[in-house]
């Protein structure tokens, strides 16, 4: 997001940073969720904490669609749009993928192979968070389609269809076993844009009609927060029951989608209220985190991998202290390193001109 401190839409920065930090905490919680006794209260608590931070990925797709459709004073051709997005996304992704590959090679998880590395990178399956980049690139390539859909059609018609497609997508592509050439089957990652279609398209409609979207949030605030307050405990409780093996709650995916939608709207509504108060040091800090958010997203799992390897060698086994250390070190390393790199890069750009 660009602009002066007075014109900047700080609500976009607030939700972006919230989504980014949520993803970092979510992945930090993966170790206790995986290793704790599934019938223990500690597992239930870890699952609750993880579910409270799960909004990051749906939120990122919503925000990406919103920023894509948000009116801009600078008119860009399709070629300029593609070049700008690919420059911003692909080189940092390739570097992060390369740096993430070596710990897996050193630990024997993967044999060193340029072909294997290329396939994992293209599929976005090298690290847990990379699939977001692969899916986002699909949305970027389909930019003309989404621009046309938003300009010509009503959200009241398209969003219910998109919601249905999103609900069916994972199940269909996961079970269809569609025939394909070997080279295509090798590239297929199981991550397709239809998995996040509803969130991205909803963001496009919100961005294209941004002032109307903000008015809608304000008008329906008394509905949004109670809906979140009701759906959050229901979805989290159902997730605890399902992941612990105690039962299989019906309509879990539908309940999760309701949770995600109400969560994102409540968070955005809160950010709009807080945005006018962002000034001075808070504005500088938030701006730095916002600019570094993509790097934080790319590198936090590498920080987790290195921390877990070091903790294993040192014999730190208790999940409580391990989690606190992981959160402290990973957040410090991922945020500090990314912000520092962004500052150094910003200083070096004028020097090269």
């Amino acid at each position: 997001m660009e602009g002066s401190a007075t014109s900047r839409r700080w609500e976009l920065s607030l939700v972006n940073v919230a989504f980014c930090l949520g993803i970092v905490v979510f992945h930090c919680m993966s170790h206790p969720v995986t290793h704790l006794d599934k019938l223990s209260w500690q597992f239930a608590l870890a699952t609750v904490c993880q579910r409270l931070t799960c909004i990051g990925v749906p939120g990122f797709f919503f925000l990406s669609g919103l920023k894509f459709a948000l009116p801009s004073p600078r008119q860009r051709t399709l070629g300029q749009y593609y070049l700008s997005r690919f420059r911003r996304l692909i080189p940092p992704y390739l570097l992060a993928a390369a740096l993430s590959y070596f710990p897996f090679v050193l630990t024997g998880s993967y044999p060193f192979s340029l072909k294997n590395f290329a396939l994992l990178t293209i599929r976005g399956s090298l690290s847990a968070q990379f699939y977001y980049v692969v899916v986002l690139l699909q949305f970027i390539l389909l930019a003309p389609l989404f621009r046309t859909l938003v300009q010509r059609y009503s959200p009241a018609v398209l969003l219910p269809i998109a919601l249905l497609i999103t609900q069916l997508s994972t199940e269909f592509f996961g079970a269809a076993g569609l025939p394909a050439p070997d080279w295509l089957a090798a590239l297929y990652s199981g991550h397709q844009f239809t998995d996040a279609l509803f969130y991205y398209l909803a963001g496009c409609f919100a961005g294209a009609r941004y002032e109307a979207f903000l008015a809608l949030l304000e008008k329906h605030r008394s509905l949004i927060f109670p809906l979140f307050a009701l759906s959050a405990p229901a979805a989290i409780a159902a997730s605890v029951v399902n992941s612990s093996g105690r039962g299989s709650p019906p309509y879990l995916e539908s309940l999760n989608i309701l949770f995600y939608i109400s969560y994102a709207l409540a968070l955005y509504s809160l950010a709009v209220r807080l945005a006018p108060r962002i000034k001075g040091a808070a504005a500088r800090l938030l701006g730095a985190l916002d600019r570094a958010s993509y790097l934080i997203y790319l590198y936090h799992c590498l920080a987790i991998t290195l921390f877990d390897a070091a903790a294993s060698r040192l014999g730190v086994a208790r999940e409580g202290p391990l989690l606190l250390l992981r959160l402290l070190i990973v957040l410090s390393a991922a945020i500090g390193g990314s912000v520092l790199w962004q500052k150094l890069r910003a200083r070096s750009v004028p020097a090269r001109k």
Side-chain angles (χ1 to χ4, degrees):
M1 196 62 192
E2 298 192 11
S4 67
T6 56
S7 64
R8 185 167 185 160
R9 297 186 184 274
W10 285 111
E11 69 272 13
L12 298 180
S13 299
L14 280 169
V15 293
N16 182 51
V17 171
F19 292 152
C20 180
L21 297 183
I23 284 293
V24 177
V25 175
F26 180 91
H27 285 133
C28 284
M29 299 298 302
S30 296
H31 191 278
V33 167
T34 303
H35 290 82
L36 287 170
D37 177 5
K38 294 187 181 301
L39 297 179
S40 66
W41 67 266
Q42 293 94 336
F43 172 82
L45 179 59
T47 303
V48 168
C49 294
Q50 191 179 54
R51 294 298 294 161
L52 285 172
T53 59
C54 69
I55 188 59
V57 170
F60 271 143
F61 284 117
F62 174 81
L63 199 57
S64 296
L66 189 152
K67 289 181 178 181
F68 163 68
L70 196 65
S72 172
R74 295 184 302 169
Q75 297 298 322
R76 293 185 296 179
T77 66
L78 184 61
Q80 289 173 328
Y81 169 74
Y82 281 147
L83 183 60
S84 172
R85 297 301 289 155
F86 292 161
R87 276 180 175 174
R88 183 179 184 277
L89 293 174
I90 294 179
Y93 171 60
L94 293 178
L95 179 59
L99 293 176
S100 299
Y101 185 58
F102 282 103
F104 292 119
V105 171
L106 293 175
T107 58
S109 300
Y110 293 120
F112 179 76
S113 164
L114 291 179
K115 179 182 178 181
N116 184 46
F117 169 72
L119 284 174
L120 291 169
T121 302
I122 292 170
R123 296 174 64 184
S125 54
L126 181 60
S127 189
Q129 80 282 25
F130 286 165
Y131 81 93
Y132 164 76
V133 181
V134 173
V135 175
L136 182 59
L137 288 173
Q138 296 173 40
F139 281 120
I140 291 171
L141 290 172
L142 293 170
L145 170 63
F146 285 98
R147 185 163 289 159
T148 300
L149 291 176
V150 171
Q151 290 173 349
R152 292 189 180 182
Y153 301 103
S154 166
V157 174
L158 285 188
L159 288 182
I161 298 173
L163 180 59
L164 180 60
I165 292 173
T166 299
Q167 285 185 291
L168 295 175
S169 178
T170 303
E171 180 180 355
F172 174 78
F173 283 105
L178 301 176
D182 291 343
W183 67 268
L184 184 58
L187 294 176
Y188 175 67
S189 63
H191 304 307
Q192 48 283 322
F193 75 95
T194 48
D195 289 350
L197 177 61
F198 172 77
Y199 306 108
Y200 188 83
L201 186 59
C204 288
F205 279 117
R209 303 161 172 81
Y210 192 64
E211 295 304 323
F213 170 64
L214 295 182
L216 194 69
L217 287 180
E218 182 65 28
K219 180 180 179 180
H220 296 289
R221 188 184 304 274
S222 60
L223 173 64
I224 291 171
F225 285 97
L227 182 61
F228 169 67
L230 291 173
S231 64
I236 292 171
S239 180
V240 171
V241 169
N242 182 69
S243 57
S244 66
R246 290 184 171 93
S248 300
Y251 310 112
L252 181 58
E253 187 58 33
S254 298
L255 182 58
N256 282 334
I257 289 177
L258 178 62
F259 171 44
Y260 297 152
I261 294 172
S262 64
Y263 198 167
L265 291 176
L267 189 61
Y268 208 104
S269 182
L270 181 61
V272 170
R273 282 291 182 94
L274 293 176
R277 305 177 186 178
I278 305 299
K279 298 175 183 178
R284 291 191 292 273
L285 175 60
L286 182 59
L289 292 174
D290 190 22
R291 289 187 294 272
S293 61
Y294 183 51
L295 294 180
I296 295 171
Y297 185 83
L298 288 177
Y299 283 102
H300 72 274
C301 279
L302 175 59
I304 292 173
T305 298
L306 296 176
F307 171 83
D308 286 348
S312 178
R313 288 189 176 185
L314 294 173
V316 183
R318 292 181 59 191
E319 285 297 340
L322 192 61
L323 175 60
L324 292 176
L325 280 173
R326 186 185 297 109
L327 286 169
L328 177 63
I329 293 175
V330 169
L331 285 168
S332 299
I335 293 174
S338 299
V339 169
L340 179 61
W341 173 253
Q342 284 293 105
K343 286 185 176 294
L344 293 174
R345 184 173 178 275
R347 289 178 181 178
S348 68
V349 170
R352 293 198 300 263
K353 291 184 178 180

